């Protein structure tokens, strides 16, 4: 193998091209079990982001279930999730184009179960997700979001649909702003569900209800757990009819069991997170193997783990697997299937035998990470903990530049890209992200910051952001960059900041901060469909997040001054660094007007600005061509305005010239 050649950081050639990132990677969206058969939903950038239901055939091949004309994706809560299920060979799925629910029998064609748009009503006015099939009664039971009253807020309910006829559904549960996770007991006589109301988000306060069910109506609804200060996640019935759920009542999302007399037992008390923020429907972090055992995923110290849990004793037995993130757990017949990944391993659908610990990969999101020519360029992250102004500490994943073919000149430190995750109630991903490797393989360090307010570190850490969005996250991102400079790991004169959605807001807020020390930390920035005007977001965003800012900032009617003070578009006069903007033309969560207001303000000031508007994209880019275009454009923007000028200035200084 040839010796690596000397080349400045940020100029390394890499086989991890934007085209490879976009074309070789699919997104594994969900895992489903139909008896012993495994199915999943995957999103394919090379098919314009189409979501496809796939079945694992008995011969080991993977077969598309849904035909080319359909994309399996729901817009309930706009973020979707749980768009499909498969029972006894029959699939029920939501189609993205019209949001109708379809039944697809094995070997047949999709048949609509719900009506099309009514005259005068908005297209895709009825949306469905998070369903189950009551096989005895031939019913689909799930969440419906009703947008037929265009002038008002959407109405969310839990409905029942006859699997043999077309209807909008009979309402079973109503009266709350949001519903999720309907679960039918094994004997079919009780229905459990989650509900919550404005202004809370599901990680702030949810309620778990149970009622008697006769197939048509619910009786005697009972509140089992939850409330304004307790977040409940993923209710599940055990085979013997015991209700389990995840709750953060002890300060961490732990697994609990409902017992007679309203008593609730913490099955496995730990300073660990067995739940996650419910941005999408259908999330699953544990699966019940029997009345006495479960397989659980949890996050401890920021790292994902998987273990066998004795439900009676609370004893955990960890599995020795190479992954750092586990989700979408399902179980049947003693086998467990889930989605898993790690920073240098492709995300995969994995089947596990919990008795032997034997794991089998059924499907990978891509094959690049298995190629020795690519693996030698992959950067493995270091978990770091660093001091913050309001602390005591915050957390991040630091990816050093890595390329087997290049090394930097002695004494040079790499540029740094600070990445702000979305949400903001979310966390830095532990999954392989080839976009990160695109940067690190070119000689750019990346740090994914879990600023105060991020998930994975307990409720108290999440609540650091209460009323402090645009302050705590901004301070922590700047503190992460300064910490890396102090450690002599990066070049303090070549630091960029970028983010998606809420992370785009944090990036822009850093660049327009009232604290000159914060904003001068960063020499350029990128905003991918990021929020720039908090007041506009409060007025214009969709129902699911329409009151989120009450918690993150302040109730809008009471805090309009605070909204203005923290909105980057109102503080553009402070901005001196160049900024690149990337926006989906059909984004309903952060509409294009948000970005365009910021672009106009910067151009009026004469700040170097790049604005790319992508037709056909919503909140997050799914088309391969657009993914590649955005990646190349952002790299070129920084290379032209930060990497190259800094190198040339150093060269002039070393030569003693002016």
């Amino acid at each position: 193998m040839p010796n690596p050649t000397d080349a400045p950081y940020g100029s390394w050639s890499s086989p991890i091209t934007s085209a490879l990132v976009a074309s070789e990677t699919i997104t594994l969206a969900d895992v489903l079990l139909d008896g012993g058969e495994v199915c999943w939903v995957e999103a394919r950038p090379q098919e314009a982001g189409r979501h496809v239901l796939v079945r694992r055939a008995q011969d080991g091949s993977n077969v598309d279930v849904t035909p080319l004309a359909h994309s399996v994706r729901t817009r309930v809560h706009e973020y979707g999730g749980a768009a499909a299920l498969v029972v006894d060979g029959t699939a029920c799925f939501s189609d993205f184009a019209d949001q109708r629910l379809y039944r697809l029998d094995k070997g047949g064609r999709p048949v609509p179960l719900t009506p099309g748009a009514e005259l005068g009503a908005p297209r895709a006015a009825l949306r469905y997700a998070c369903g189950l099939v009551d096989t005895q009664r031939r019913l689909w039971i799930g969440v419906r979001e009703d947008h037929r009253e265009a002038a008002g807020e959407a109405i969310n309910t839990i409905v029942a649909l006859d699997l043999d006829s077309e209807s909008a559904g009979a309402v079973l549960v109503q009266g709350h702003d949001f519903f999720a996770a309907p679960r039918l007991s094994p004997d079919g006589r009780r229905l459990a569900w989650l509900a919550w109301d404005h202004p809370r988000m599901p990680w702030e306060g949810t309620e778990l209800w149970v009622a008697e069910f006769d197939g048509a109506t619910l009786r005697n609804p009972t509140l089992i757990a939850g409330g304004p200060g307790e977040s409940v996640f993923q209710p599940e019935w055990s085979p013997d009819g015991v209700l389990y759920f995840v709750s953060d009542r002890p300060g961490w999302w732990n697994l609990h069991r409902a017992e007679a007399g309203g008593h609730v037992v913490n099955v496995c008390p730990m300073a660990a997170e067995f739940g996650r923020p419910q941005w999408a429907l259908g999330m699953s972090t544990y699966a019940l193997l029997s009345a006495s055992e479960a397989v659980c995923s949890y996050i401890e110290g920021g790292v994902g783990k998987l273990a066998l849990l004795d439900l009676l004793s609370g004893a955990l037995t960890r599995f020795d697997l190479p992954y750092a993130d586990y989700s979408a757990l399902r179980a049947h017949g003693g086998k467990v299937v889930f989605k898993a990944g790690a920073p240098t391993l492709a995300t995969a659908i994995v089947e596990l035998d919990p008795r032997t610990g034997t794991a089998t990969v059924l499907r990978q999101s891509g094959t690049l990470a298995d190629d020795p020519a690519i693996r030698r360029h992959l950067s493995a992250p270091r978990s770091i903990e660093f001091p913050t102004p309001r602390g005591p500490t915050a957390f991040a994943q630091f990816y050093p530049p890595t390329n087997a073919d290049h090394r930097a000149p002695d004494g040079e430190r790499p540029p740094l890209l600070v990445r702000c995750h979305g949400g903001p109630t979310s966390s830095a991903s532990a999954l392989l992200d080839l976009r990160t490797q695109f940067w690190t393989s070119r000689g750019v360090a990346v740090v994914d910051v879990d600023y105060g307010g991020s998930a994975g570190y307990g409720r108290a850490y999440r609540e650091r952001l209460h009323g402090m969005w645009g302050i705590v996250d901004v301070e922590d991102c700047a503190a992460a960059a300064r910490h890396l400079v102090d450690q002599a790991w990066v070049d303090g004169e070549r630091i960029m900041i970028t983010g998606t959605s809420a992370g785009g807001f944090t990036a822009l807020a850093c660049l327009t901060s009232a604290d000159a020390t914060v904003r001068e930390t960063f020499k350029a920035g990128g905003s991918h469909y990021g929020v720039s005007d908090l007041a506009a977001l409060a007025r214009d965003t969709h129902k699911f997040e329409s009151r989120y800012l009450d918690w993150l900032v302040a109730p809008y009617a009471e805090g309009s001054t605070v909204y203005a003070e923290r909105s980057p578009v109102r503080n553009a006069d402070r901005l001196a660094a160049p900024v690149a903007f990337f926006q989906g033309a059909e984004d309903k969560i952060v509409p294009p007007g948000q970005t365009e207001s910021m672009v106009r303000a910067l151009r009026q000031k004469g700040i170097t600005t790049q604005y790319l508007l992508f037709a056909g994209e919503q909140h997050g880019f799914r088309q391969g061509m657009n993914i590649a275009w955005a990646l190349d454009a952002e790299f070129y923007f920084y290379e032209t305005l930060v990497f190259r000028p800094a190198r040339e200035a150093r060269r002039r200084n070393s030569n003693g010239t002016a």
Side-chain angles (χ1 to χ4, degrees):
M1 189 173 294
N3 292 326
T5 59
D6 286 348
Y9 286 118
S11 69
W12 297 349
S13 60
S14 169
I16 304 175
T17 65
S18 63
L20 280 178
V21 171
S23 65
E24 291 293 324
T25 302
I26 61 170
T27 299
L28 299 171
D30 201 358
V31 178
L32 309 167
L33 288 184
D34 179 19
E37 288 195 300
V38 182
C39 303
W40 60 86
V41 176
E42 59 185 53
R44 299 171 179 171
Q46 66 272 28
E47 295 182 27
R50 187 171 78 98
H51 286 55
V52 185
L53 180 61
V54 181
R55 180 188 296 272
R56 179 78 166 185
Q58 291 184 352
D59 64 3
S61 62
N62 300 326
V63 180
D64 289 0
V65 175
T66 45
L68 190 61
H70 293 272
S71 182
V72 181
R73 185 174 157 213
T74 178
R75 288 185 58 185
V76 173
H77 298 173
E78 293 299 338
Y79 293 103
L85 60 90
V86 187
V87 177
D88 297 334
T90 294
C92 295
F93 68 91
S94 290
D95 180 74
F96 182 68
D98 59 17
Q99 289 298 292
R100 299 173 78 181
L101 190 69
Y102 288 80
R103 189 191 78 234
L104 176 59
D105 296 328
K106 188 175 285 189
R109 301 175 63 182
V111 176
L113 293 175
T114 59
E118 299 174 4
L119 185 64
R123 187 166 182 265
L126 291 172
R127 306 172 183 180
Y128 299 84
C130 205
L132 61 89
V133 168
D134 181 345
T135 54
Q136 292 181 338
R137 302 178 178 109
R138 296 280 300 166
L139 296 175
W140 180 95
I141 299 171
V143 176
R144 185 183 75 186
E145 191 170 84
D146 188 344
H147 293 256
R148 285 177 291 188
E149 296 296 329
E153 191 173 65
I155 298 172
N156 292 62
T157 54
I158 293 177
V159 300
L161 294 165
D162 190 322
L163 286 174
D164 298 309
S165 62
E166 183 181 303
S167 75
V171 174
L172 297 177
V173 190
Q174 59 186 332
H176 289 277
D177 290 320
F178 301 97
F179 294 94
R183 297 289 187 267
L184 193 63
S185 63
D187 61 8
R189 298 170 62 181
R190 290 174 293 168
L191 187 72
W193 68 89
L194 296 177
W196 67 97
D197 294 294
H198 288 314
R200 293 185 295 277
M201 298 298 282
W203 46 87
E204 295 163 24
T206 47
E207 296 175 351
L208 173 60
W209 290 83
V210 172
E212 298 168 12
F213 183 50
D214 63 7
T217 58
L218 296 173
R219 297 187 305 275
N220 302 322
T222 302
L223 180 65
I224 301 299
E230 179 183 356
S231 173
V232 181
F233 173 90
Q234 193 193 343
E236 300 286 356
W237 296 96
S238 69
D240 59 345
V242 176
L243 184 61
Y244 287 84
F245 57 93
V246 174
S247 167
D248 69 354
R249 60 173 59 188
W252 296 82
W253 271 314
N254 284 182
L255 185 64
H256 291 72
R257 177 175 59 244
E259 297 188 342
H263 188 51
V264 171
V265 174
N266 188 340
V267 177
C268 182
M270 287 179 66
E273 299 279 56
F274 288 74
R276 296 189 179 186
Q278 296 179 75
W279 281 105
L281 293 164
M283 299 173 71
S284 174
T285 59
Y286 70 96
L288 297 168
L289 289 169
S290 67
S292 60
E293 286 186 318
V295 171
C296 296
S297 67
Y298 59 97
I299 299 171
E300 187 176 35
V303 179
K305 301 172 182 178
L306 189 75
L308 182 67
L309 173 63
D310 186 313
L311 295 170
L312 302 180
S313 70
L316 276 175
T317 305
R318 278 193 58 195
F319 295 106
D320 183 16
L321 296 172
Y323 304 110
D325 185 275
Y326 302 87
S327 61
L329 273 73
R330 319 288 179 196
H332 180 82
K335 293 287 183 74
V336 181
V337 183
F338 49 85
K339 186 169 66 173
T344 58
L345 292 174
T347 302
I349 305 295
V350 180
E351 184 178 78
L352 174 71
D353 183 336
R355 302 303 163 200
T356 65
T358 302
T360 304
V361 173
L362 305 182
R363 175 65 158 144
Q364 289 191 147
S365 60
T367 59
L368 281 177
D370 297 329
D371 184 345
I374 298 296
R375 286 200 63 80
R376 57 202 295 265
H377 299 292
L378 296 183
S379 176
R382 307 172 190 170
S383 297
I384 63 171
E385 188 172 351
F386 56 92
T388 65
R390 300 169 193 266
T393 59
F395 307 90
Q397 296 293 321
F398 175 70
Y399 293 80
T402 304
N403 187 309
D405 296 331
H406 296 286
R407 65 186 175 204
D410 290 343
E412 185 183 1
R413 297 175 186 171
L416 174 68
L417 183 65
V418 177
R419 182 177 297 174
C420 317
H421 65 69
T425 309
S426 185
S427 58
S429 175
L431 300 174
L432 172 67
D433 188 339
L434 288 173
R435 292 168 297 185
T436 298
Q437 305 297 337
F438 174 90
W439 292 94
T440 56
S441 64
R442 283 164 173 75
V444 180
V446 174
V447 63
D448 264 341
V449 185
D450 272 339
Y451 46 78
S454 299
Y457 306 92
R459 187 175 184 112
Y461 194 80
R462 292 200 309 274
E463 291 184 341
R464 287 190 191 181
L465 213 56
H466 187 189
M468 300 295 284
W469 192 34
I471 297 176
V472 166
D473 51 324
V474 166
E475 293 175 346
D476 288 1
C477 286
R482 288 195 296 270
H483 174 75
L484 295 171
V485 172
D486 291 343
Q487 298 297 310
W489 290 356
V490 301
D491 182 354
E493 297 303 313
R494 293 189 288 173
I495 300 178
M496 296 75 61
I497 187 166
T498 189
T500 60
S501 188
F505 166 80
T506 298
L508 293 173
C510 284
L511 295 168
T512 57
S513 172
D515 186 338
T517 303
V518 169
R519 66 175 182 270
E520 290 171 5
T521 298
F522 306 102
K523 309 309 176 188
S527 171
H528 296 251
Y529 39 93
V531 176
S532 62
D533 187 338
L534 292 176
L537 182 67
R539 293 191 303 266
D540 300 337
T541 196
H542 58 117
K543 179 185 177 182
F544 181 64
E545 291 184 89
S546 63
R547 301 290 298 278
Y548 190 17
L549 295 187
D550 287 16
W551 189 89
L552 288 170
V553 182
Y556 181 59
E558 305 168 15
S560 57
T561 301
V562 178
Y563 278 58
E565 288 173 351
R566 297 191 201 169
S567 292
V569 72
R570 302 294 187 92
N571 300 310
D573 58 304
R574 299 181 189 145
L575 202 151
V579 186
F581 296 88
F582 308 89
Q583 177 69 44
E586 299 177 12
D587 193 338
K588 302 299 183 185
I589 296 171
V590 180
Q594 282 262 331
T595 293
E596 289 163 3
S597 295
M598 191 72 185
V599 170
R600 283 194 299 271
L602 299 191
R603 286 178 175 170
Q604 288 170 4
K605 193 185 176 192
I607 299 295
T608 301
T609 307
Q610 174 180 267
Y611 176 41
L612 297 180
L613 180 67
F614 296 98
E617 295 285 12
Q618 294 88 42
H619 197 66
F621 303 156
R622 293 171 174 84
Q623 299 179 36
M625 179 179 66
N626 295 337
I627 293 169
W629 189 4
L631 197 54
D632 280 334
E634 188 168 13
F635 183 86
Y636 180 75
F637 188 76
Y638 299 149
E639 196 222 8
T640 303
L641 299 172
V642 180
F643 305 162
R644 195 184 306 155
R647 287 199 299 268
E648 292 172 353
R650 284 204 173 92
R651 188 180 301 114
R652 288 195 300 270
N653 291 336
S654 66
N655 292 335
T657 57

